[in-house]
Amino acid sequence: MTASAEKRKVHIRTYGCQMNVYDSERMADALAEAGYAPVDSPESADLILLNTCHIREKAAEKVYSEIGRLRHLKARAAAQGRNVTLGVAGCVAQAEGEEIMRRAPSVDLVVGPQSYQRLPDLVAEARAGGAVVATDFAVAEKFGVLDRLASRPQHDRPAEAARRYAAFLTVQEGCDKFCAFCVVPYTRGAEVSRPVAAILAEATRLAAEGVREVTLLGQNVNAWRADGPDGRVWGLGRLLFRLAEIPGIDRLRYTTSHPNDMDDELIAAHRDLPALMPYLHLPVQAGSDRILAAMNRRHRRADYLRTIEKILTARPGIALAGDFIVGFPGETEADFLDTLRIVDEVGYASAFSFKYSPRPGTPAAAMEQVPEPVKAERLGRLQAAIAAAQARFQASRVGMEAEVLFERSGRHEGQIVGRSPWLSPVQVEAGPEKIGSIQRVTITGAGPNSLFGALSQAVPNRPTALAEAAA
């Protein structure tokens, strides 16, 4: 490694989902091997990467706006004799590809989600003066290289990997569902599952670094399937049981799931596995069978509600989260009222909701669109219903005792913040020495987005806790 390479700095700006957060960490790992150290500000960086998301409304235009701002930064650096490389990564990069290069000549590199394993070479090529576009689909190759990076010993990892007690772990990428509104099959490719051994190796490394809670990630995480060490094909439920055996991993979660992939083994894990937290993000998108069919969701309202009933039977009190799209092409007021009704029927602890916005190349983009004012008005009503359901769930937690993993200091001195089993933040008055520990907390109050509590007693490390559960 040259002295100049050792001094290079990279700034990665991450947009969108947890998968992008995880990918940004792996990109930083790959670039660290090439001599790049991360920095918090683009002003001091030699390489700037925008890791983009194509799900939100007008995502591509927001990226172009950011590129415009960074173009001026590049020009100032050039006037000072510094060569700053600007790259666009993620799903907008995959979807827009050559169009980014055409519209934004200041961009030196466009790299899609399945090419991150080649990032150091692509950056070197771009810095040598050639515009680079890498948007192929090589998920298995990506997993192979990034598995190696993720398995590096703690002492060999970048210094910026700050102490953390909860971490993401990607186990699956891509989607075969082809919902009519969604670009993921086109930007992330077909469903691919990561091998069991690689997942266990990364989880073991995370535990050695002090991580106590792991969230498994995938575009359709519950579609994960892989050959197990026992010669059988494993599903996500079996994988969760195996991960719970790793010393130090006390809590497990997974996101995001498709209703059609919630099999009986996975539901049983919610009943039988103490380490699996009582939280499930299971998007339905709409409450109308007619709209679900138009969306190509491949399930009906009744199918979804039956799945919810099975989950609630297995794990009473579980926090259910969802996703909703309002104003999908052809949606009538009657269709929308079906969506409002399903919010009340399920009783979501939280939910994400969006106005439908066309994504180029998806089937729904060519359908007759609902007027924008109608979409906005319906979104307001839906969000009010979701807020009411969330408030009811939050209020139902008051008086309960919960185990909370504390991760950071609060806004006020003497306050620390952690996550409840239901994923909601919990604020208590306690000293920073409790950060990194799991404490029993009595929930004393509830706000719109947070719970408040008082410490009860510490929870022992998981092997003892599991022994107690077995007893």
Side-chain angles (χ1 to χ4, degrees):
M1 188 183 298
T2 66
S4 61
E6 290 176 348
K7 296 178 182 178
R8 286 180 183 160
K9 298 178 174 61
V10 59
H11 174 74
I12 303 176
R13 186 165 297 174
T14 307
Y15 303 84
C17 66
Q18 296 100 324
M19 184 77 79
N20 272 11
V21 174
Y22 180 88
D23 277 348
S24 290
E25 292 174 356
R26 299 290 77 76
M27 285 192 281
D29 284 344
L31 290 166
E33 287 200 332
Y36 282 86
V39 291
D40 293 332
S41 168
E43 282 75 16
S44 57
D46 303 289
L47 170 63
I48 302 169
L49 289 173
L50 306 179
N51 190 9
T52 61
C53 176
H54 210 289
I55 298 299
R56 302 295 181 255
E57 186 176 7
K58 298 180 180 177
E61 292 306 316
K62 293 176 182 177
V63 171
Y64 287 118
S65 295
E66 184 62 22
I67 291 170
R69 288 189 284 271
L70 293 172
R71 174 172 58 85
H72 299 296
L73 184 152
K74 278 190 68 175
R76 290 194 300 272
Q80 298 166 0
R82 280 200 310 121
N83 176 22
V84 174
T85 302
L86 175 58
V88 179
C91 291
V92 171
Q94 187 72 40
E96 299 285 327
E98 299 284 353
E99 178 68 7
I100 293 174
M101 289 297 199
R102 186 188 68 81
R103 287 185 56 180
S106 59
V107 173
D108 306 292
L109 168 66
V110 174
V111 54
Q114 312 312 342
S115 298
Y116 296 155
Q117 75 282 358
R118 298 164 48 209
L119 192 56
D121 291 338
L122 296 172
V123 169
E125 185 179 344
R127 289 187 70 84
V132 177
V133 177
T135 54
D136 53 347
F137 287 96
V139 186
E141 180 188 349
K142 172 187 174 181
F143 274 156
V145 174
L146 298 187
D147 286 345
R148 177 183 61 79
L149 292 169
S151 65
R152 288 158 60 201
Q154 183 179 10
H155 63 77
D156 190 38
R157 296 179 62 76
E160 77 280 3
R163 184 74 169 174
R164 54 180 177 166
Y165 306 99
F168 297 130
L169 196 168
T170 291
V171 301
Q172 182 271 341
E173 283 204 30
C175 181
D176 295 342
K177 302 297 190 290
F178 287 93
C179 295
F181 53 81
C182 187
V183 297
V184 167
Y186 312 101
T187 59
R188 291 276 181 170
E191 290 177 357
V192 177
S193 294
R194 193 174 175 191
V196 172
I199 296 168
L200 297 179
E202 184 169 352
T204 300
R205 190 263 299 166
L206 290 171
E209 292 180 7
V211 169
R212 303 191 68 177
E213 177 177 297
V214 172
T215 299
L216 307 184
L217 298 181
Q219 268 83 35
N220 280 312
V221 67
N222 58 340
W224 180 88
R225 298 288 185 277
D227 293 333
D230 57 2
R232 293 183 291 175
V233 175
W234 284 18
L236 190 65
R238 190 175 298 269
L239 176 65
L240 287 163
F241 274 98
R242 177 62 185 86
L243 287 166
E245 296 174 2
I246 297 174
I249 301 298
D250 297 288
R251 294 155 66 116
L252 293 166
R253 304 182 190 272
Y254 62 92
T255 193
T256 285
S257 301
H258 193 284
N260 291 1
D261 293 315
M262 286 299 303
D263 59 32
D264 290 341
E265 185 178 52
L266 182 53
I267 293 173
H270 281 281
R271 180 191 65 214
D272 300 332
L273 184 58
L276 181 56
M277 294 293 96
Y279 172 89
L280 176 62
H281 183 214
L282 194 63
V284 66
Q285 304 297 359
S288 160
D289 282 343
R290 196 178 70 84
I291 295 301
L292 288 171
M295 288 178 166
N296 194 36
R297 287 291 289 173
R298 306 184 192 183
H299 63 79
R300 297 170 301 169
R301 173 196 186 91
D303 300 326
Y304 181 84
L305 290 174
R306 273 194 297 271
T307 299
I308 293 295
E309 183 179 4
K310 291 167 70 173
I311 293 163
L312 289 171
T313 299
R315 195 72 176 264
I318 190 171
L320 295 167
D323 285 356
F324 292 92
I325 295 173
V326 300
F328 186 81
E331 182 188 72
T332 65
E333 177 67 12
D335 294 323
F336 174 69
L337 291 176
D338 282 341
T339 296
L340 287 182
R341 278 191 285 272
I342 208 167
V343 171
D344 286 336
E345 289 177 61
V346 173
Y348 291 97
S350 63
F352 301 100
S353 54
F354 311 97
K355 293 183 293 184
Y356 171 77
S357 59
R359 295 293 179 265
T362 60
M367 299 176 183
E368 184 176 354
Q369 304 297 308
V370 173
E372 190 64 27
V374 175
K375 288 193 285 188
E377 189 272 338
R378 288 176 183 168
L379 181 63
R381 281 193 281 162
L382 175 62
Q383 291 181 337
I386 291 169
Q390 181 172 335
R392 288 192 293 271
F393 182 87
Q394 293 280 90
S396 72
R397 306 297 97 173
V398 175
M400 289 186 176
E401 192 175 67
E403 296 180 3
V404 176
L405 171 59
F406 287 99
E407 299 179 64
R408 58 183 175 85
S409 297
R411 293 181 180 178
H412 310 294
E413 187 175 355
Q415 182 187 75
I416 59 174
V417 181
R419 291 283 177 178
S420 74
W422 315 291
L423 196 62
S424 48
V426 180
Q427 303 177 34
V428 305
E429 300 298 320
E433 71 279 359
K434 295 289 194 294
I435 294 173
S437 69
I438 296 175
Q439 303 281 330
R440 287 197 176 97
V441 172
T442 300
I443 305 300
T444 57
N449 300 302
S450 297
L451 297 171
F452 305 91
L455 292 180
S456 303
Q457 65 183 91
V459 176
N461 288 333
R462 191 176 52 81
T464 305
L466 284 181
E468 288 180 354

